[in-house]
Amino acid sequence: MSMFSVKPMKPTFKCYLPPVQTDVKKAIEPIKKLEPKLLLGEIVVNEVNFVRKCISTDSSQDDLWGKLICTNFKVSFIPQDAPAKQRSQLSHFLLGEHDIPLTCLDQVVTVNDTKGKRKVLGSNQKLKFNPTELILYCKDLRIIRFCFGEAGPESAKKVCLAIAHYSHPADLHLLFGFEYQGRRYHEYKAKRVNGSTPRGGLQTPIFDRPSDWDREIKRTGASEWRVCSVNEGYAISPSLPEYIVVPASLADQDLKQYSSFFPDNRIPLWCWNHPSGSALIRMASITDPLHQRKIDQRVFTAITKSHPHRSEVIRLDLDKCLPNIQDIQSAFFKIRQICVMDPFEESEERWLSSIENSRWLEYVRAFLKHSAEVVYHLDGKNTSVVLAEEEDRDLNCIVSSLVQLMLDPHYRSLIGFQSLVQKEWVMAGHRFLDRCNHLKKSDKEESPLFTLFLDCVWQMMNQYPAAFEFTEAYLTVLTDSMWIPLFSTFLFNSPKQRNQHLADFAKNKAIPQGEEQSVYFPPVWDWSQQFSFKDQTLFNNPMYVGKGAACVQNGEVKTFRRTKKTYSSTLRGAPASMRNGLKSGEETLPRRGSLVSELKPDFSPVKDVVESPSERFFRDWFSRPIDQQGLLIPLLTPSHMALWKLFFLRWVPEACIPKGGSITAYHKLCQLVDEIEILQIQLRQYKGPSPGSTPLPSPSESRSDQRRMYFKASFPDDPSTPPDFLTSSFPFTPVGNLCRRNVHGTPISKFLNGAKIWLSTETLANDTV
Amino acid sequence: MEHIRTPKVENVRFLDRSSGQRKASVGTLYLSATHTIFVENNPESRKETWVLHSLVSSVDRPPPTPSGSQLILRCKDFHVFSLFIQQERECTEIHTALNRLTRPESYSELYCLSFNPNVNIEDRAQSWSFIDLMSDYKRMGVPNNLWVHTAANSEYKVCDSYPSELFVPKSAPPSIIVGSSRFRSRGRFPVLSYFHQDTLAAVCRCSQPLSGFSGRCHEDEMMLQALMKSNPGSDYIYVVDTRPKLNAMANKAAGKGYENEDHYSNIKLQFIGIENIHVMRSSQQKIIDVGEMRSPSMTDFLWGLENSGWLKHIKAILDAGVFIARAVADEGVSVLVHCSDGWDRTAQACSVASILLDPHYRTIQGFMVLIEKDWVSFGHKFSHRYAHLDGDPREVSPVLDQFLECVWQLSEQFPCAFEFNQRFLISIHTYVYSCQYGTFLGNSEKERRDMRLRDRSHSVWPQLWKDRSKYTNPLYQNQLSQNQSQGVLRPNTSPYCFKMWKGLYHHMDKSVPPRQSPADFLSAVREESHQLEEELTNHQERIAALTGRPVTWEKVQVPRRRVSQQWQRYLGPDPPTTYTQPITSPAHELSSKAANHKAGTAHPHLTLPLGVKGHDPSDLCTCSDLESGVADLSSHSSSGGDDGKDPDPYEAASTTA
């Protein structure tokens, strides 16, 4: 190991050992002790020194030397000389810059370049060669490479095997969350005593108790619906929550009776009520056609009775018209291949047709379109809609949540959105464990439905940027959180499974009975587990026109909406000359009438004559002024579907725009909103202290952690230019996160990085050396 | 008017396809000397649509159906209108008339020359001096001891497609200029386009050399030597041939071609591979077709987009600009740019490079200067490329469209870098095609001078400047004060970063609220910020009045400086160049203006509700109050009017409030 140096000269492909280093001083420098940052209950399983982490694709110049560690939670790399932390990254409480949770690993590939061998490692496998390289394909689309050229061959091999083994847990309770949360609970118990807020201060409803459902019924005015506890203790169905909402006219006895006909005894589930009284219901399909008619009839009659106008029920079978989970998985597989796997030059050539070929955008569009049609029935026709799917646990989750997102502004707030996911995904029994394939048991069951849903949300957000309280950074961080096994949200297949595991967990970890599950094993919604308050402000959309966005104006509290009015009228009052030029009026303010055509082609063939009722509904909607706090219908022509770049391309160096991208607009907007908030504080000061309140601090005193915006208003002496670290990938960075090509560019590496990496071959046929 | 045999047809069904209208409206069609006008019968709205003849690119007549004959008007700004006329004979007559009216044969038929607005001559003269190119050269530090003004082309005697005012290396005497020009296609010898003060490197332009297979020219070689010498920081120059190498080689056979590196010392030749005008023309047609698909699938759209090749062409142009900008800003090496004649691809490459290099060109005024300099003055053949007159269709090509799109793509990558928004770009696009102003008429400075356009028409720039409030990008982050190297834009030109410019091609898309709403929101925020500040000032004054002593501390702590600066920018007087007064302001002078003047400044397809019932638009002389009604009527019209479609639900409340 005397050969080791911090910055190696490039070893050639043929020469296994690096060239002799001239800089001897560095070699004798005492080697820093490299200690991993461990979480509670985290233990080091195996480690190897003198590992090189590849940073950029084209050269080894920036590569880092350090120690590679496998723990029971993560793969960690500790660089010898840690470069200054890149500011573009969020500082994660649980994970360091070079850490990958084991659950995030998709494939562990070992390579011996000299022998021309490679192997995809599974659990408990043997490795017949000493790896020179380890390539980790991650579920968050990163590709990370380590080189063992100068590391001890045996240790390197052991670490690789350990990583492979520990990333294939034999059982759910071996996921690290079950260790960590237990320790964490007891560790922080003392601190919690005084501030014992209900549910650990969590504002997001979990829907595991009647009151959450009750509130939802009241909020949506669903007076003909009731919370029913027939499934208490999961007496009827393991995949339904204990408390569900059902038509008031159905007695528990009826429900029990009907349940036996549904797959998994899943009786129909109320999702949401339109202010006009029509309801959104989801249910599994009864397979036996004899029973199906009968039971459907009864259920539908009950739903009709719960409608104020007794209007009829429409049943939409989603699995008949939407892609299935395998389609979605294969589309995701392909688009991921195009975005991160294939060498850039290859995908560059035919970028658009490759995207098309993956069909991902087509599927995104299909789900949005279908959801818009459901919206038409609920809002335009005022009929209740039953979403039917074979098991009611996959496609129904996407469509029902999209429909609610379009119809109900509450779900476009951060808390509302989280409650929506909780209600339509977690509690409705979406098989997160299987779909995420955390245990890597069956690839057939794996499917990125939740990611697809988030992509649909992103499309809506992209089209209506002022309608959502949260940002695309939030959505991206949420996808990443799926791969951190510390939150109860994404670990289970059903409410019952969740309940059982958490109960067992509580028993094993000596957690007192009656303690809230969300306290001892918190969901992902407690973001302070992962990020500082300051970093969480990156979730706040400065453009959000929400109900709560109040501001003081002319001595009265007004909302942004009314401020907008002032704005428009200012424009309106502008001299006519301003609007008399080319494209006058039409462009000065958005003209909604022109949108009609955007949607029209999708909903009907274009004929000059007849217009279907749904077409008319959409045309009417698009011709009206848009209300950010009202119904939102996505634009569905293909030109409006966009690739979610932050998610798919954030690690791709070739796609990164330094000092550019929409983040620069975000930066500017944040500054402005922050500035306004400072002004508001000052104004309030002028009004003098209102009774019972202390005067607000002046802006210089106001602590930055109280401010909502990630970027703060610049002060007169500051230049307000965007900081240099802003790139279109912000808050992520491609640096070191996507190494898809061998540094040396050998034929074998080219082969390995191509499409065939997914083949598990022990030895390559050709002698490539 | 001699071409119009049927000035009026009743019971015509009319469909504005590009804005997505689906149900034809019934009304009366009028043909005037300048416009096709459709007036809806619906007594509620009496909506009018005016289509400028000069904006119509084709009038198609599909085979007649039992319900009548159809005419399809396709416009150069990608509007498409359908007319259904019951009587076959009338349809034929309208078709014939439109065919003639939309294809003027001489400049005198053009709109901007046919009307004679009642404007005082001084104003018109001032409109032409609104943009002063010499002051822009001065801004970049020219002339200096490296680059000097040359009188060689006065009276256009050396090159008739060049401007008379040119800058050349100090070490290039007239003999070399003249010699070099003889060795260059159309006499377009190397001259300065942009001078980069930081690095002293320059962007120069010319046309291809007449080298053939072995020809050489001593003066031309001296000229390039002089270019190199005028950049003390570098001992070579890049010669950027923006054509594909194959095309350049093919030109050799015709006695043209590209520089032989053996004959010129210290040049590095670089081909970029921007395709020729014919390829671009057909590519654009394909992307228009994509936009016109009625219900495309994801596959139709993405394949259509890729197969059009349009984005690839845009990328090639941007790549050319990036290459030049890097050479100049990063390497400090001067670049000589040419293509074949040096007036299409060269104009694109030079102006994109200038936009990347100099933040000034990303302002509203700077952008006007840039177009005036690199396009108008340097003899881009506007009238040929944009088919102002009925002529050779092979001369037509969307060269400037592509430049505008490059700028739009850049503005998508850098949302805060441009003072203007896409409305500005689209407006320029329309003005380039519409012939409402004299600015873009003709094919060279000389032609414009010979036509005495300055005495007969107006310049478009003051009009755009007057409307700047609607062209302003509220996200704009002024970088003018930064040093030059920081102000350089470094775009990503990988295919990931190019998208279809829906605003231009999908007409109905232009006003999609989501695209605008961040900007509108920001304007609202700024407005709000402004109001709050006023509020604050009021409070301060009141406190001061009540307490008898001034309150001072708050102002210091509010980060206002940046914003107030901007307000000053927007609200301040017009720039000190020359322009001081509104010139062709229809709004101010409507009532006193002749009808044709008003129509002249109107939107080419202005659509407005007619509030005055019983008004007969066939009598164009009484139209004088039509437009003046726009502002008033639209605010209380519920349908058809743009303002009536205001997305702001609180608008009604605010106007009554």
Side-chain angles (χ1 to χ4, degrees):
Chain A
M1 266 327 112
S2 58
M3 294 280 198
F4 169 78
S5 85
V6 178
K7 277 259 161 120
M9 293 169 75
K10 260 189 203 172
T12 58
F13 178 62
K14 280 180 183 164
C15 175
Y16 176 64
L17 298 172
V20 179
Q21 303 291 311
T22 43
D23 191 356
V24 194
K25 268 186 203 160
K26 278 201 168 168
I28 36 177
E29 236 172 54
I31 291 168
K32 225 177 3 182
K33 196 142 193 250
L34 303 175
E35 293 295 348
K37 215 182 129 194
L38 297 176
L39 299 180
L40 293 168
E42 188 178 4
I43 49 164
V44 174
V45 173
N46 228 317
E47 58 181 47
V48 55
N49 262 309
F50 310 122
V51 174
R52 184 157 57 88
K53 181 184 176 184
C54 303
I55 294 302
S56 86
T57 306
D58 330 300
S59 84
S60 55
Q61 213 183 1
D62 302 322
D63 287 356
L64 296 174
W65 287 92
K67 181 150 91 171
L68 181 65
I69 293 169
C70 173
T71 76
N72 53 346
F73 167 52
K74 66 184 180 235
V75 178
S76 189
F77 176 79
I78 305 140
Q80 175 80 27
D81 286 331
K85 193 163 165 47
Q86 284 155 0
R87 278 205 62 196
S88 61
Q89 282 188 318
L90 292 171
S91 47
H92 201 282
F93 289 162
L94 306 169
L95 293 161
E97 191 185 348
H98 302 282
D99 293 349
I100 312 144
L102 291 165
T103 353
C104 185
L105 293 177
D106 193 37
Q107 251 187 359
V108 179
V109 178
T110 47
V111 177
N112 185 311
D113 239 354
T114 15
K115 291 185 180 164
K117 291 186 173 178
R118 71 184 293 277
K119 180 168 182 173
V120 180
L121 287 182
S123 179
N124 262 331
Q125 275 184 313
K126 282 181 184 158
L127 190 57
K128 289 178 190 158
F129 57 85
N130 287 328
T132 56
E133 255 181 46
L134 170 69
I135 309 172
L136 300 176
Y137 293 89
C138 305
K139 293 191 174 181
D140 60 8
L141 309 191
R142 285 186 288 172
I143 302 173
I144 296 175
R145 281 176 16 137
F146 299 100
C147 296
F148 300 124
E150 284 84 274
E154 277 305 313
S155 327
K157 192 175 183 175
K158 275 183 192 159
V159 164
C160 291
L161 289 170
I163 290 170
H165 183 71
Y166 278 83
S167 60
H168 290 75
D171 194 79
L172 179 56
H173 71 260
L174 294 174
L175 289 174
F176 180 64
F178 289 92
E179 184 62 34
Y180 169 73
Q181 294 293 9
R183 300 281 193 109
R184 182 181 156 276
Y185 176 82
H186 291 293
E187 185 83 5
Y188 295 119
K189 200 178 176 186
K191 293 182 194 168
R192 268 197 308 270
V193 174
N194 294 332
S196 59
T197 46
R199 310 228 116 187
L202 195 72
Q203 286 177 286
T204 305
I206 297 295
F207 291 98
D208 57 350
R209 48 186 185 180
S211 58
D212 288 342
W213 291 103
D214 240 354
R215 213 176 313 120
E216 199 64 4
I217 286 179
K218 290 211 177 73
R219 196 182 64 79
T220 59
S223 51
E224 294 298 311
W225 297 79
R226 67 180 181 97
V227 183
C228 136
S229 52
V230 72
N231 199 35
E232 219 162 51
Y234 307 96
I236 292 186
S237 171
S239 68
L240 287 181
E242 285 190 276
Y243 306 97
I244 55 174
V245 176
V246 296
S249 60
L250 284 182
D252 285 5
Q253 203 46 48
D254 301 328
L255 293 167
K256 273 184 197 155
Q257 189 205 332
Y258 301 158
S259 71
S260 61
F261 299 102
F262 287 96
D264 203 28
N265 294 331
R266 281 180 72 99
I267 42 180
L269 206 56
W270 174 88
C271 306
W272 183 79
N273 241 57
H274 190 276
S276 68
S278 50
L280 181 67
I281 297 100
R282 51 189 288 178
M283 70 175 205
S285 309
I286 299 171
T287 35
D288 184 342
L290 279 176
H291 294 130
Q292 196 225 324
R293 269 197 74 186
K294 199 178 69 192
I295 302 295
D296 279 4
Q297 185 80 55
R298 293 191 189 162
V299 171
F300 292 179
T301 309
I303 294 171
T304 301
K305 274 189 194 159
S306 290
H307 193 288
H309 307 308
R310 306 285 177 267
S311 85
E312 264 185 54
V313 176
I314 283 203
R315 174 196 166 114
L316 299 170
D317 285 279
L318 296 192
D319 29 22
K320 284 182 185 145
C321 49
L322 286 168
N324 63 32
I325 62 162
Q326 282 90 17
D327 296 336
I328 293 165
Q329 168 69 358
S330 106
F332 185 75
F333 186 87
K334 280 183 198 153
I335 198 167
R336 156 187 170 153
Q337 184 78 32
I338 297 156
C339 291
V340 296
M341 305 278 192
D342 289 344
F344 168 65
E345 293 80 4
E346 276 168 38
S347 46
E348 180 186 41
E349 269 302 294
R350 305 195 61 80
W351 171 243
L352 293 169
S353 52
S354 310
I355 289 293
E356 188 280 322
N357 190 43
S358 77
R359 309 191 74 179
W360 178 262
L361 281 180
E362 188 185 320
Y363 292 164
V364 167
R365 182 176 175 231
F367 276 95
L368 283 168
K369 186 174 160 184
H370 213 81
S371 305
E373 275 161 14
V374 177
V375 165
Y376 159 67
H377 290 297
L378 287 166
D379 188 88
K381 280 176 61 188
N382 197 11
T383 43
S384 295
V385 176
V386 173
L387 302 175
E389 188 200 358
E390 192 185 343
E391 288 194 305
D392 181 31
R393 296 169 75 176
D394 290 308
L395 309 183
N396 271 1
C397 300
I398 301 182
V399 174
S400 72
S401 31
L402 282 177
V403 168
Q404 293 173 65
L405 206 64
M406 291 173 194
L407 282 162
D408 192 339
H410 169 69
Y411 296 124
R412 303 195 285 259
S413 69
L414 184 72
I415 297 295
F417 180 74
Q418 297 183 159
S419 77
L420 182 69
V421 173
Q422 197 61 35
K423 178 162 71 93
E424 298 302 329
W425 292 79
V426 181
M427 293 319 272
H430 178 66
R431 291 188 174 84
F432 275 109
L433 181 64
D434 291 348
R435 297 290 173 257
C436 296
N437 205 6
H438 287 316
L439 304 181
K440 303 191 172 59
K441 274 196 177 135
S442 166
D443 291 346
K444 269 186 204 158
E445 292 291 315
E446 186 172 345
S447 183
L449 271 87
F450 191 62
T451 307
L452 181 84
F453 164 65
L454 294 183
D455 196 333
C456 293
V457 177
W458 180 84
Q459 304 285 345
M460 297 271 299
M461 192 187 265
N462 189 39
Q463 294 181 10
Y464 302 101
F468 293 82
E469 190 181 18
F470 43 91
T471 58
E472 64 169 330
Y474 167 81
L475 292 180
T476 315
V477 164
L478 185 56
T479 65
D480 289 346
S481 303
M482 273 197 283
W483 315 117
I484 305 173
L486 307 184
F487 321 117
S488 57
T489 313
F490 306 114
L491 292 185
F492 306 102
N493 276 337
S494 69
K496 186 182 179 185
Q497 189 189 27
R498 173 177 178 274
N499 205 41
Q500 273 177 353
H501 272 88
L502 295 189
D504 292 350
F505 165 80
K507 214 156 71 188
N508 294 337
K509 301 291 174 190
I511 289 159
Q513 271 198 329
E515 183 64 283
E516 295 263 6
Q517 287 180 349
S518 56
V519 171
Y520 66 76
F521 206 123
V524 69
W525 317 127
D526 179 5
W527 290 104
S528 61
Q529 293 178 99
Q530 298 191 60
F531 303 105
S532 66
F533 181 84
K534 152 83 181 161
D535 280 352
Q536 284 177 56
T537 55
L538 201 56
F539 299 165
N540 293 338
N541 174 10
M543 278 181 279
Y544 181 53
V545 183
K547 279 181 179 150
C551 65
V552 180
Q553 201 185 323
N554 298 325
E556 288 163 299
V557 175
K558 293 187 174 184
T559 65
F560 267 135
R561 303 158 77 196
R562 297 179 70 185
T563 316
K564 267 205 99 171
K565 167 193 83 182
T566 329
Y567 157 63
S568 313
S569 60
T570 329
L571 249 193
R572 187 63 40 84
S577 62
M578 256 173 62
R579 289 182 264 128
N580 239 329
L582 207 69
K583 312 275 180 215
S584 49
E586 179 185 353
E587 288 190 333
T588 309
L589 286 167
R591 176 168 150 190
R592 306 308 318 283
S594 54
L595 290 176
V596 180
S597 60
E598 289 295 38
L599 203 75
K600 245 181 293 164
D602 292 319
F603 289 91
S604 82
V606 171
K607 287 260 163 66
D608 180 35
V609 253
V610 213
E611 191 176 45
S612 78
S614 71
E615 281 179 302
R616 159 157 297 180
F617 169 75
F618 290 115
R619 186 171 59 97
D620 281 354
W621 187 81
F622 280 108
S623 66
R624 279 195 305 267
I626 183 178
D627 178 5
Q628 306 282 357
Q629 286 292 306
L631 168 63
L632 284 189
I633 295 174
L635 297 152
L636 290 164
T637 36
S639 59
H640 283 105
M641 296 293 117
L643 183 74
W644 183 10
K645 283 198 196 166
L646 187 67
F647 176 75
F648 286 107
L649 297 174
R650 59 188 154 147
W651 314 121
V652 181
E654 291 86 352
C656 185
I657 308 169
K659 296 193 205 179
S662 57
I663 190 71
T664 54
Y666 177 82
H667 170 259
K668 174 104 188 177
L669 285 163
C670 278
Q671 286 190 324
L672 267 149
V673 170
D674 190 52
E675 191 177 317
I676 285 185
E677 285 174 355
I678 291 176
L679 284 165
Q680 286 170 342
I681 290 172
Q682 295 208 328
L683 270 178
R684 252 173 267 142
Q685 274 184 298
Y686 273 110
K687 306 215 179 297
S690 52
S693 80
T694 48
L696 284 150
S698 70
S700 50
E701 293 165 36
S702 81
R703 281 176 295 137
S704 64
D705 63 348
Q706 286 178 331
R707 282 151 78 177
R708 283 194 312 129
M709 290 299 123
Y710 186 78
F711 295 107
K712 309 290 184 265
S714 59
F715 280 79
D717 306 329
D718 276 354
S720 63
T721 49
D724 281 350
F725 61 77
L726 278 193
T727 73
S728 58
S729 293
F730 184 88
F732 311 96
T733 172
V735 179
N737 285 322
L738 191 70
C739 287
R740 51 188 160 191
R741 171 161 296 180
N742 194 300
V743 181
H744 314 302
T746 57
I748 176 176
S749 63
K750 229 176 179 172
F751 174 80
L752 290 176
N753 285 288
K756 291 163 193 87
I757 57 135
W758 295 97
L759 300 172
S760 175
T761 47
E762 180 80 20
T763 312
L764 296 172
N766 297 351
D767 179 13
T768 48
V769 181
Chain B
M1 292 295 255
E2 71 268 29
H3 311 296
I4 303 172
R5 296 180 58 189
T6 315
K8 177 176 172 185
V9 185
E10 281 174 352
N11 286 323
V12 171
R13 294 193 307 141
F14 176 88
L15 198 58
D16 179 356
R17 288 192 182 277
S18 45
S19 73
Q21 192 185 347
R22 280 197 64 235
K23 244 187 138 161
S25 40
V26 182
T28 309
L29 183 76
Y30 301 90
L31 275 195
S32 82
T34 54
H35 288 84
T36 304
I37 306 154
F38 175 80
V39 184
E40 232 176 62
N41 281 354
N42 182 350
E44 292 288 303
S45 56
R46 295 276 289 164
K47 194 169 113 182
E48 290 189 4
T49 306
W50 294 52
V51 184
L52 194 60
H53 293 328
S54 53
L55 260 182
V56 176
S57 63
S58 73
V59 187
D60 296 330
R61 191 175 172 206
T65 60
S67 60
S69 297
Q70 192 188 354
L71 288 181
I72 299 173
L73 271 64
R74 287 174 201 282
C75 297
K76 294 169 182 174
D77 61 355
F78 314 113
H79 270 290
V80 183
F81 301 99
S82 282
L83 297 165
F84 303 89
I85 299 169
Q86 283 173 338
Q87 295 295 319
E88 174 106 38
R89 184 188 54 82
E90 284 175 328
C91 185
T92 312
E93 281 180 6
I94 296 283
H95 188 209
T96 316
L98 277 178
N99 263 340
R100 180 63 190 80
L101 291 166
T102 60
R103 290 181 200 160
E105 283 161 4
S106 73
Y107 286 115
S108 58
E109 287 177 49
L110 281 179
Y111 190 32
C112 63
L113 299 182
S114 69
F115 76 78
N116 198 9
N118 185 16
V119 182
N120 80 50
I121 294 160
E122 262 173 50
D123 283 353
R124 184 163 60 203
Q126 271 190 341
S127 91
W128 284 104
S129 46
F130 178 71
I131 298 290
D132 177 15
L133 289 187
M134 287 309 118
S135 66
D136 190 54
Y137 284 108
K138 210 173 279 168
R139 188 189 61 84
M140 39 172 132
V142 172
N144 52 33
N145 56 358
L146 302 167
W147 293 90
V148 293
H149 176 263
T150 176
N153 202 37
S154 63
E155 292 305 306
Y156 312 101
K157 57 188 181 235
V158 177
C159 172
D160 63 358
S161 61
Y162 262 179
S164 59
E165 310 286 330
L166 290 166
F167 291 88
V168 291
K170 195 174 188 182
S171 57
S175 60
I176 286 187
I177 293 174
V178 173
S180 168
S181 83
R182 291 205 183 108
F183 190 64
R184 293 276 164 182
S185 233
R186 320 233 178 212
R188 293 170 69 93
F189 59 93
V191 294
L192 180 77
S193 168
Y194 179 72
F195 179 71
H196 194 249
Q197 274 175 293
D198 260 18
T199 59
L200 304 182
V203 182
C204 307
R205 58 186 291 172
C206 62
S207 60
Q208 63 185 340
L210 304 174
S211 55
F213 290 103
S214 58
R216 59 188 295 182
C217 166
H218 177 66
E219 288 94 338
D220 195 59
E221 289 160 23
M222 296 283 286
M223 187 72 185
L224 266 64
Q225 194 67 23
L227 289 186
M228 191 206 79
K229 277 194 210 142
S230 65
N231 177 5
S234 167
D235 50 9
Y236 64 93
I237 61 167
Y238 284 111
V239 174
V240 169
D241 190 329
T242 56
R243 300 169 292 183
K245 188 166 186 187
L246 209 66
N247 299 18
M249 283 165 72
N251 264 295
K252 281 191 172 181
K256 299 165 187 172
Y258 54 94
E259 289 78 359
N260 184 334
E261 278 176 286
D262 298 337
H263 296 166
Y264 295 83
S265 46
N266 309 318
I267 67 163
K268 289 188 181 177
L269 196 59
Q270 174 77 36
F271 292 96
I272 298 280
I274 304 175
E275 297 288 350
N276 65 30
I277 56 169
H278 312 297
V279 174
M280 300 306 192
R281 185 193 314 120
S282 75
S283 174
Q284 192 189 40
Q285 189 51 52
K286 287 181 195 153
I287 205 177
I288 292 170
D289 294 345
V290 170
E292 283 186 6
M293 277 192 278
R294 287 306 294 193
S295 34
S297 66
M298 215 61 226
T299 307
D300 294 338
F301 176 73
L302 290 172
W303 278 90
L305 196 54
E306 180 162 290
N307 290 338
S308 76
W310 183 256
L311 294 182
K312 235 189 219 167
H313 299 315
I314 299 294
K315 170 180 156 57
I317 296 162
L318 207 50
D319 277 332
V322 168
F323 179 89
I324 298 165
R326 275 200 194 140
V328 168
D330 299 349
E331 296 178 57
V333 178
S334 293
V335 185
L336 176 63
V337 188
H338 70 71
C339 47
S340 295
D341 290 320
W343 52 40
D344 293 319
R345 286 168 277 199
T346 301
Q348 291 174 331
C350 289
S351 48
V352 169
S354 298
I355 282 258
L356 297 176
L357 284 167
D358 194 336
H360 176 67
Y361 294 127
R362 293 173 225 144
T363 64
I364 288 179
Q365 218 202 350
F367 191 70
M368 296 176 182
V369 170
L370 184 66
I371 291 188
E372 186 72 31
K373 175 167 74 74
D374 277 342
W375 297 79
V376 177
S377 88
F378 273 109
H380 175 65
K381 303 202 293 173
F382 279 93
S383 279
H384 285 166
R385 295 292 175 260
Y386 312 115
H388 290 161
L389 300 181
D390 191 26
D392 183 359
R394 288 175 44 81
E395 280 284 320
V396 180
S397 188
V399 185
L400 191 87
D401 299 37
Q402 291 183 313
F403 167 63
L404 295 174
E405 178 156 343
C406 284
V407 176
W408 178 80
Q409 300 279 1
L410 286 172
S411 72
E412 287 290 292
Q413 289 196 30
F414 303 98
C416 305
F418 292 85
E419 191 189 14
F420 46 84
N421 56 22
Q422 66 161 338
R423 291 173 194 148
F424 184 59
L425 299 173
I426 293 170
S427 285
I428 291 176
H429 179 267
T430 311
Y431 280 130
V432 161
Y433 282 91
S434 71
C435 304
Q436 287 163 283
Y437 291 86
T439 311
F440 303 118
L441 240 51
N443 294 307
S444 66
E445 194 176 285
K446 182 169 181 292
E447 270 189 47
R448 278 185 289 278
R449 191 197 60 170
D450 294 348
M451 275 192 273
R452 293 190 302 106
L453 280 179
R454 289 181 175 231
D455 305 332
R456 300 165 66 196
S457 69
H458 289 89
S459 165
V460 72
W461 304 124
Q463 182 65 40
L464 284 165
W465 178 251
K466 192 148 57 64
D467 294 341
R468 65 189 176 279
S469 61
K470 73 175 181 192
Y471 298 135
T472 303
N473 169 19
L475 290 168
Y476 178 54
Q477 192 108 42
N478 186 333
Q479 294 185 309
L480 295 173
S481 56
Q482 289 190 345
N483 67 44
Q484 262 189 315
S485 69
Q486 268 190 316
V488 175
L489 280 192
R490 298 171 195 280
N492 184 330
T493 61
S494 71
Y496 304 132
C497 300
F498 289 86
K499 44 189 167 180
M500 183 170 179
W501 188 7
K502 287 181 287 182
L504 187 64
Y505 293 104
H506 266 206
H507 227 274
M508 52 270 200
D509 219 77
K510 217 176 297 179
S511 46
V512 168
R515 302 298 316 149
Q516 323 274 267
S517 71
D520 287 346
F521 175 78
L522 185 49
S523 297
V525 165
R526 184 168 275 157
E527 176 83 0
E528 169 144 8
S529 191
H530 191 61
Q531 285 173 1
L532 283 172
E533 200 180 43
E534 278 177 6
E535 186 92 355
L536 202 56
T537 317
N538 286 342
H539 280 290
Q540 282 172 352
E541 282 166 3
R542 273 175 59 193
I543 288 178
L546 288 172
T547 60
R549 57 190 168 88
V551 184
T552 47
W553 56 271
E554 301 77 7
K555 255 308 193 219
V556 185
Q557 287 170 342
V558 186
R560 286 310 310 177
R561 204 180 69 180
R562 174 170 46 88
V563 174
S564 16
Q565 267 178 352
Q566 248 145 1
W567 277 105
Q568 250 171 22
R569 271 187 65 80
Y570 301 137
L571 303 175
D574 291 321
T577 37
T578 47
Y579 175 69
T580 48
Q581 280 177 335
I583 293 143
T584 50
S585 158
H588 292 175
E589 295 135 314
L590 271 178
S591 47
S592 62
K593 286 275 156 67
N596 57 357
H597 169 224
K598 217 162 14 57
T601 45
H603 185 302
H605 324 295
L606 182 71
T607 300
L608 58 146
L610 248 190
V612 189
K613 291 188 187 164
H615 172 84
D616 183 4
S618 66
D619 180 4
L620 287 173
C621 294
T622 64
C623 284
S624 57
D625 55 346
L626 276 188
E627 267 218 354
S628 59
V630 178
D632 311 328
L633 295 171
S634 53
S635 59
H636 53 76
S637 104
S638 56
S639 62
D642 302 317
D643 296 338
K645 305 271 183 183
D646 186 330
D648 188 342
Y650 303 94
E651 173 50 27
S654 79
T655 41
T656 53

